[in-house]
Amino acid sequence: AVVSTQSTGLEDANTYTVDQLQKAGLHPIVILVKCKSSQEIRTVRNCSSEQAVRTISKSNKLESEHPGKFTAIVSGSRCDEIFKSILSAVTTHRESLWLPIS
């Protein structure tokens, strides 16, 4: 429904899903939300220090293992900052066709 109405949808997806969308001829705007510290994550999400450290580790791993996969990488120390960054990235890339390098 999102494609047929030329709307923008928000999906929490993994790299496999992104690959499948690209194989189907759809070129998603892929945004990685990356916090700089475990304290930033704990400010945005209600989680333990251990969970925050795992989140940073996973984010760093995604970024290093999938270079070129992300249309934008955004960060912020508060939810409203992150939201504004995501909105800006979507607005910037909404009209362009993004094609993967590899």
Side-chain angles (χ1 to χ4, degrees), residues 27-29 71 89-99:
H27 303 286
I29 298 169
T71 310
V90 169
T91 302
T92 300
H93 297 283
R94 186 178 197 172
E95 300 300 321
S96 63
L97 177 62
W98 178 82
L99 299 174

Side-chain angles (χ1 to χ4, degrees), residues 30-70:
V30 183
I31 300 171
L32 175 64
V33 177
K34 186 173 180 180
C35 291
K36 296 176 182 135
S37 70
S38 60
Q39 184 58 39
E40 274 188 14
I41 292 174
R42 294 189 74 209
T43 300
V44 175
R45 295 177 55 195
N46 185 18
C47 65
S48 69
S49 295
E50 186 177 291
Q51 289 171 318
V53 169
R54 280 198 307 260
T55 300
I56 288 176
S57 176
K58 187 175 180 179
S59 174
N60 289 337
K61 184 178 177 183
L62 273 172
E63 187 177 15
S64 67
E65 290 182 355
H66 301 281
K69 180 76 71 182
F70 302 103

